[in-house]
Each structure stands twice: as C-alpha cells, then as structure tokens.
C-alpha cells in the first residue's frame, strides 16, 4: 500500500509540473505565442514571473488567483489543467509499474492537450497528432502494450476509416461533417491500442457526445443537426482508459 501511495505521489507531482506547461501551451499556442521559449509571463500584463509564482497550484492558492503585479485574475484553466494532469499521472503510475506507468502518463498528458485544443478551438495540430503514430509504434516495438502488427494496422485503419467517412459525408451532403485532423487522431490512437479496439473508441466518443448534447439542452442551448461537437476531444477522452486496460495484457 505504501508503494502505491508513493507511486501516486510521484505521478501526481510530475503531472503538476507537466500540467503547468500544458496550460500555458493551450492558452498561448492558439494565439501564435511561443510556449517553450523565453520566461513565463503574466497573460494580462506581460510581467515576467519569478520562481515563487510558478509553483503549480500552490502559487495560484497563495496569490488568491490573481497576478501579484496587476491584480488581474489568473486564467482558471491553469489550476484546472494542472489538477487534471496530476490525476492522470497518479492513476497511470498506480495502474502500471515502472516505465509503463511513465509511458501511460505521457500518453495521457499528450491526449489532454489535444482534447483541450479541440474543445476550445476546434483545432487538432498535426504537430500533436502525427507524432503519436511513430511513438505508439515505438512503444509497441519496445514491448509496452499490444503487439506491433496490430497497432500498425490500427494506425492505417483508424486514419483510413474516418477519412473515408468524412469523404462520403462531404460528397452526399455537400458540406464538411468532420475536421481534417480527426482521421489523423484516430490513426494515432490506433497506433497505441490496435485495430480491434478502435470501435470502442468510436462508441465511447458517441456516448460522451450524447452526454454533451444532453448537457447543452439542460443549459437551454439550441441543438440542431448542424451543431458541431469536438470529435477529437471525445476520442481523446475515450482512448486513454482503453490504453490503461490493454497495456496490462
């Protein structure tokens, strides 16, 4: 039991650190601002942040959610994403031992950023989706998760199946029904979980979509046939639990 708590603490601590970066990336990248270069700055006044202001979650609590210089409210996405990344890291390290736990956590953090960008901006950058394919295949080659052959086939089928569906919809309805990044993302997911489990991703995404529609209706929002849901977000959220289970086999 002590070992599990220690692994959860390590995964959660790493998640807080990674989550701080993911939060900044999710805010700045869509704005065309640099993420990895230069010192961290306040999103409101642009003041450079000191080490004491960069402690994940703790700085937010100490500063009561406001910049120490301009008193502007700190974007609530920072603590929310840091908490989410910490939870992913803790669960991954508890579910999987050693290197597999770190790989599972990294996959979850990657999917988290993808889910956020698609949810908020309907954007699935190739720089995020496409690298997941060779990374997933490399993990298979190293012996983590399902065998390589099934995952290579999953990448091809995942990408090809959604691309074909999108093409048929566009031809039949004369309008776009799916973003160009969605097939790439499903192909990337297939490189991690294999071809046979791809239907579970689509079923999970569909169920989450129904929950989202129900929530929209309860809030009084209009839901029509043209209402767009972030399919990439729904698939990303569905994919990580499937990976957690299959990686143990």
């Amino acid at each position: 039991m002590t070992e599990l708590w220690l692994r959860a603490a390590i995964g959660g601590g790493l998640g807080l650190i990674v989550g701080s970066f993911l939060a900044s990336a999710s805010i700045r990248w869509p704005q065309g601002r640099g993420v990895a270069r230069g010192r961290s700055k306040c999103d409101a006044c642009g003041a450079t942040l000191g080490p004491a202001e960069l402690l994940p979650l703790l700085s937010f609590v100490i500063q009561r959610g406001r910049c120490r210089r301009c008193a502007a409210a700190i974007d609530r996405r920072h603590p929310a994403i840091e908490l989410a990344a910490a939870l992913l890291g803790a669960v991954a390290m508890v579910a999987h031992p050693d290197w597999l736990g770190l790989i599972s956590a990294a996959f979850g953090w990657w999917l988290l950023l993808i889910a956020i960008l698609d949810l908020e901006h309907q954007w699935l950058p190739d720089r995020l989706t496409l690298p997941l394919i060779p990374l997933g295949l490399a993990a298979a080659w190293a012996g983590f998760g399902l065998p390589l052959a099934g995952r290579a086939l999953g990448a091809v089928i995942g990408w090809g199946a959604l691309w074909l569906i999108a093409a048929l919809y566009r031809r039949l309805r004369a309008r776009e029904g799916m973003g160009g990044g969605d097939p790439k993302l499903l192909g990337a997911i297939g490189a991690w979980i294999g071809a046979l489990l791809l239907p579970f991703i689509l079923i999970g995404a569909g169920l989450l979509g129904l929950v989202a529609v129900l929530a929209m209706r309860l809030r009084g929002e209009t839901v029509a046939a043209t209402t767009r849901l972030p399919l990439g977000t729904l698939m990303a959220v569905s994919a990580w639990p499937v990976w957690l289970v299959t990686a143990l086999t």
Side-chain angles (χ1 to χ4, degrees), residues 11 39 66 75 89-90 104 119 122 126 153 163 170 195 224 228:
R39 299 280 300 277
R66 293 191 174 275
D75 195 314
S104 297
L119 177 63
Q122 295 76 53
D126 288 350
L153 186 61
W163 181 89
R170 183 168 55 249
R228 299 192 65 176

Side-chain angles (χ1 to χ4, degrees), residues 81-93:
I81 294 172
E82 289 166 1
L83 277 174
L87 180 61
L88 290 174
V91 171
M93 293 298 289

Side-chain angles (χ1 to χ4, degrees), residues 103 135-146 148 151:
I103 291 172
L135 288 173
L137 299 180
W141 178 81
F144 296 107
L146 297 176
L148 176 60
R151 288 160 70 169

Side-chain angles (χ1 to χ4, degrees), residues 107 111 133 137 146 149-163 165 182-207 231 234-240 242-243 246:
F107 184 42
L111 290 174
I133 296 177
L137 299 180
L146 297 176
R151 288 160 70 169
L153 186 61
V156 174
I157 292 178
W159 191 332
L162 272 198
W163 181 89
I165 291 173
D182 294 318
K184 300 172 187 176
L185 177 57
L186 188 59
I189 292 172
W192 283 82
I193 67 168
L196 294 179
L197 294 174
L198 285 176
F200 290 96
I201 304 302
L202 296 178
I203 292 172
L207 292 175
L231 179 58
L234 301 176
M235 292 192 298
V237 172
S238 301
W240 197 64
V242 174
W243 161 260
T246 58

